[in-house]
Amino acid sequence: MNPGRRPRLEDVAEDVGVSTASVSLVLRGVAGPSAETRKRVLAAATRLGYRPDRTASLLARRRTHLLGVPVVLRDAFRAELAEEVQVAADERGYSVALGAVTPVHDEDRVVETLLDLRCEALLLLSPELRPGALAELGGRVPVVVVGRHVEPAGFDVVRVADDEGVGQAVDHLVGLGHRDLVHVDGAGAPMAADRRSGFLAATRRHGLDSARVLRGGYDEAAGAAAARALLDEPVLPTAVLAANDRSAIGLLDVFLRGGVRVPGDVSVVGYDDSGLAGLAHVDLTTVSQEAAAQAARAVEAAVERLDGGRSEPREVVLPPRLVVRGTTGPPRQAGRGG
């Protein structure tokens, strides 16, 4: 076998000294080959790093019209996005197989499970896989990365312009009179860099030299920790832009418990426009990622590859939309609660 070439069925057969038909029967779990042959074939396949070519297999078998979607169910926005994918897939005559990503079932494992279910394409919602891993996966089946800014190398990308979205939030706050802004970022999460750079670019555009970034994260605990750090400072900023809605809700909780009025003492902006943001007791100003539009374009991209034969990668960048609610208002005049 040539170095660097993907192992083939023929390589396993040659290594064991049996026919490719026998190897195929073993790997598909079909009766026929002896127990000893099965043992030797499986050992050779493992040693050579052989994996079935699922794309070729799908061509050889009846199609499933099944789209695989790994989803973090505890993330309200990604769960909403998965629902919208189901709606868009129904309209195209496709079904959706959801795989729950949990602390004990990581994204890699869920992807393999979905492929074993014969999903014809994968729609990855804000995936945390490395670009190289995404490219390798895109060589096996059509892949659409949704909600993450990454170079479309062998796969498609559908996302919103996160830097523009944060810029819209900064423009809104500056229009209300805010000058002292803090961005609680998403730390090392894949989408955090664009939102962070969007914040810094927008505050520079407005001449806000005091604007700063505070390390955060994408869950309520990260927002709560950031709020506690801000409360320990001599003076609160007049406005805080959170990495996402979950982080913003963590901020709101700590501020409420600490007697800080929102938006009277500090304005808070989230990102995602998840279902929680619109609840009456939350009423969060946030940036919409247009979940329905992203889902529709992602399903469209997958179907173009499966039914239309498109092979070149494509990136679709959608405009975000600021949704103004009750957590933003004019800045306080001076001091906390002033």
Side-chain angles (χ1 to χ4, degrees):
M1 186 177 71
N2 295 330
R5 177 172 64 77
R6 177 176 176 169
R8 299 177 302 178
L9 198 72
E10 291 85 349
D11 298 317
V12 179
E14 181 180 352
D15 186 273
V16 179
V18 296
S19 68
T20 55
S22 294
V23 172
S24 179
L25 290 173
V26 170
L27 296 179
R28 288 188 289 121
V30 179
S34 67
E36 178 61 23
T37 298
R38 289 180 182 280
K39 180 179 178 180
R40 292 167 57 208
V41 166
L42 293 174
T46 300
R47 184 173 64 256
L48 295 174
Y50 172 79
R51 295 191 64 84
D53 186 341
R54 288 187 172 88
T55 302
S57 178
L58 284 172
L59 291 173
R61 294 179 289 173
R62 185 170 60 85
R63 291 191 54 190
T64 64
H65 287 83
L66 188 62
L67 305 177
V69 182
V71 60
V72 181
L73 296 177
R74 65 181 180 275
D75 185 316
F77 176 71
R78 279 188 273 193
E80 178 185 350
L81 195 54
E83 290 183 10
E84 296 291 354
V85 166
Q86 178 70 72
V87 172
D90 285 344
E91 295 175 351
R92 296 276 188 162
Y94 277 77
S95 298
V96 173
L98 298 179
V101 178
T102 71
V104 295
H105 288 80
D106 63 16
E107 202 165 28
D108 284 312
R109 184 172 176 182
V110 171
V111 161
E112 293 303 323
T113 299
L114 291 171
L115 291 177
D116 288 341
L117 291 173
R118 294 182 59 203
C119 291
E120 295 187 343
L122 295 173
L123 278 64
L124 307 180
L125 312 182
S126 302
E128 296 186 3
L129 297 173
R130 295 175 295 100
L134 292 171
E136 188 276 333
L137 191 57
R140 296 163 60 189
V141 293
V143 169
V144 184
V145 172
V146 187
R148 177 178 169 186
H149 189 179
V150 60
E151 187 69 24
F155 51 87
D156 296 325
V157 174
V158 177
R159 64 181 179 88
V160 297
D162 280 341
D163 54 345
E164 293 181 15
V166 174
Q168 290 179 20
V170 170
D171 292 344
H172 166 65
L173 292 169
V174 171
L176 291 171
H178 290 274
R179 306 290 296 176
D180 186 8
L181 275 61
V182 168
H183 173 45
V184 177
D185 75 1
M191 303 79 71
D194 279 6
R195 297 178 192 179
R196 187 165 48 241
S197 64
F199 173 79
L200 294 173
T203 52
R204 283 195 301 267
R205 186 174 71 248
H206 288 288
L208 305 183
D209 296 334
S210 63
R212 56 197 171 97
V213 174
L214 184 64
R215 187 174 178 83
Y218 271 26
D219 58 19
E220 294 84 353
R228 287 190 289 269
L230 291 171
L231 288 173
D232 285 339
E233 297 181 355
V235 179
L236 275 173
T238 66
V240 181
L241 285 78
N244 66 353
D245 289 351
R246 292 181 65 190
S247 174
I249 288 170
L251 283 156
L252 291 173
D253 181 67
V254 171
F255 285 157
L256 176 63
R257 296 173 188 275
V260 175
R261 299 171 302 163
V262 177
D265 296 327
V266 58
S267 288
V268 175
V269 180
Y271 201 105
D272 285 342
D273 194 27
S274 60
L276 293 174
L279 295 177
H281 67 285
V282 178
D283 200 29
L284 179 67
T285 293
T286 184
V287 178
S288 172
Q289 288 206 60
E290 305 291 6
Q294 281 201 73
R297 296 300 295 271
V299 170
E300 178 185 359
V303 172
E304 283 178 352
R305 284 184 177 267
L306 293 170
D307 296 345
R310 178 174 60 83
S311 59
E312 76 281 1
R314 176 176 299 169
E315 180 180 35
V316 176
V317 183
L318 301 172
R321 175 173 54 90
L322 180 69
V323 180
V324 178
R325 295 194 180 99
T327 58
T328 52
R332 64 183 186 275
Q333 294 303 308
R336 186 178 303 177

